[in-house]
Amino acid sequence: MNKYNSSKIYLAGHQGMVGSRLYSILQDEGYNNIIYADINELDLRNQEDTMEFITQNRPNVVLLIAGKVGGIKANIDYPAEYLYDNLIIAANVIEASRKNNVEKLIYLGSSCVYPRLAKQPMKEEYLLTGPFEPTNEAYAIGKVAGLKLCQYYRVQYGCNFIALMPPNLYGPGDHFNTERSHVISALISKIHTAKVNNDKEIVVWGSGQARREFLYVDDICYGIIYILEHYDGPEHINVGFGKDYSIKELFQIIKEIIGYNGTAIWDTKYPDGMPQKLMDSSKILSLGWKPKTSLEEGLRITYNYFIENCI
């Protein structure tokens, strides 16, 4: 039995891709005292309501998965929302957790926190050693703020609050609206539509040269649980797959899974974002966690979900 199996766990963000899957996996793993609130019941951007919810429920553990996420276009179009929402959600939940003596909090961040031109693979100590990628700077600042709140609350108040940094996440439950989706879900939607319409070409943003690391949703969920049970260190921790792919390589893999025979037109008027985002996850690997889902396997599962639920 794990240390926190019987603890009351507040899962903030249970309706998103990661949160909904994490809820199911926690139950499968014997964590049966999980509380949550729908967004229409609790807006975590409201400080008073957030404080009241945590004060009334008194969780032992908080898993802070909630936040505003989206792809490169959404980040460019709505930077104020991406900064404000992620900043205020982190501040409200972390402060309410501190005031109510939460035993442990895990905050889900993003590899976007690292500098645009960080040395690869990106180690935890590379944080704030250079400028952010401009296309997601607002989101990155919000996530860095949450990360630093965890660290400073530990320094000043002795809180066991830990920030976890994943790479690009994907899987069932993702958004497939190309206006706000990440690269995998956007490509699945575009390529499937092109196949159905017998289109010979697809226009894809950027040069296709940018490289990204991808982690399947189940693997990040088990990573969160592993950190909950096995890591209490003062520093944030990377949780990645350990391999990256160019967007052109990703396009080819998804194209083969879907069975599309057309080609991509790479529209270089649009930005690539960071040239490369590959994380050094040696710290969590040394603790005994490792990802289990290959990119090809995860993409097949994700495409099947798309076919069954999003058409």
Side-chain angles (χ1 to χ4, degrees):
M1 184 174 179
N2 291 319
K3 179 180 178 181
Y4 293 100
N5 270 134
S6 59
S7 298
K8 180 185 279 191
I9 298 174
Y10 169 39
L11 177 54
H14 74 287
Q15 293 174 299
M17 178 185 70
V18 175
S20 59
R21 188 65 185 125
L22 180 56
Y23 179 77
S24 297
I25 291 175
L26 282 166
Q27 290 188 310
D28 292 344
E29 295 295 313
Y31 300 85
N32 295 315
N33 193 4
I34 306 168
I35 61 171
Y36 56 83
D38 291 345
I39 192 167
N40 58 340
E41 299 171 327
L42 174 62
D43 184 347
L44 293 174
R45 294 171 298 182
N46 186 298
Q47 184 180 49
E48 183 178 349
D49 291 350
T50 302
M51 184 68 72
E52 181 180 2
F53 177 84
I54 293 180
T55 300
Q56 288 181 349
N57 287 280
R58 297 280 177 176
N60 307 108
V61 171
V62 171
L63 303 178
L64 180 45
I65 313 303
K68 189 175 186 68
V69 298
I72 190 169
K73 185 179 189 306
N75 275 270
I76 292 170
D77 290 346
Y78 307 107
E81 292 179 30
Y82 276 84
L83 175 53
Y84 177 82
D85 285 3
N86 287 297
L87 178 66
I88 202 70
I89 288 170
N92 287 344
V93 175
I94 289 170
E95 172 66 357
S97 298
R98 192 270 301 182
K99 284 193 171 180
N100 286 282
N101 301 309
V102 165
E103 185 177 345
K104 189 166 186 176
L105 178 146
I106 295 177
Y107 171 74
L108 186 65
S110 167
S111 60
C112 293
V113 300
Y114 292 109
R116 181 180 190 274
L117 298 178
K119 182 180 176 182
Q120 305 288 317
M122 300 181 293
K123 300 183 181 206
E124 286 88 352
E125 56 263 35
Y126 296 169
L127 182 74
L128 297 177
T129 58
F132 297 115
E133 160 59 37
T135 58
N136 58 29
E137 180 183 74
Y139 177 74
I141 291 171
K143 286 298 179 180
V144 169
L147 183 162
K148 285 298 183 181
L149 278 172
C150 290
Q151 292 180 346
Y152 292 139
Y153 272 54
R154 179 184 293 266
V155 171
Q156 185 169 341
Y157 303 115
C159 298
N160 190 11
F161 295 175
I162 297 163
L164 178 158
M165 300 298 122
N168 288 42
L169 302 174
Y170 73 99
D174 205 350
H175 295 286
F176 293 87
N177 178 335
T178 54
E179 290 298 307
R180 64 171 294 195
S181 56
H182 291 97
V183 62
I184 282 180
S185 51
L187 285 177
I188 285 175
S189 180
K190 281 189 173 187
I191 295 172
H192 174 82
T193 300
K195 178 186 176 184
V196 170
N197 294 338
N198 292 314
D199 296 331
K200 301 304 180 186
E201 298 175 338
I202 301 173
V203 176
V204 185
W205 271 33
S207 68
Q209 300 299 323
R211 302 189 66 84
R212 294 291 180 266
E213 179 181 14
F214 302 101
L215 188 66
Y216 184 63
V217 62
D218 282 27
D219 286 327
I220 189 58
C221 291
Y222 283 110
I224 291 166
I225 295 170
Y226 204 88
I227 294 298
L228 174 64
E229 295 292 348
H230 300 284
Y231 181 72
D232 293 308
E235 300 301 326
H236 70 280
I237 188 166
N238 292 340
V239 182
F241 184 76
K243 181 179 179 181
D244 64 353
Y245 299 81
S246 73
I247 303 305
K248 283 188 175 181
E249 290 171 330
L250 177 67
F251 178 87
Q252 188 64 32
I253 295 170
I254 297 175
K255 170 182 162 177
E256 292 174 3
I257 288 171
I258 293 177
Y260 173 66
N261 295 318
T263 59
I265 303 298
W266 301 97
D267 192 342
T268 55
K269 294 194 306 292
Y270 295 99
D272 283 331
M274 286 177 69
Q276 185 177 19
K277 284 201 298 180
L278 175 63
M279 298 196 304
D280 184 328
S281 298
S282 56
K283 183 184 291 186
I284 191 170
L285 292 173
S286 71
L287 296 175
W289 173 89
K290 63 180 180 180
K292 297 180 180 179
T293 311
S294 70
L295 181 62
E296 290 79 2
E297 179 186 358
L299 289 174
R300 290 185 187 281
I301 297 170
T302 305
Y303 180 57
N304 288 336
Y305 169 86
F306 172 78
I307 292 294
E308 293 169 5
N309 296 276
C310 303
I311 297 176

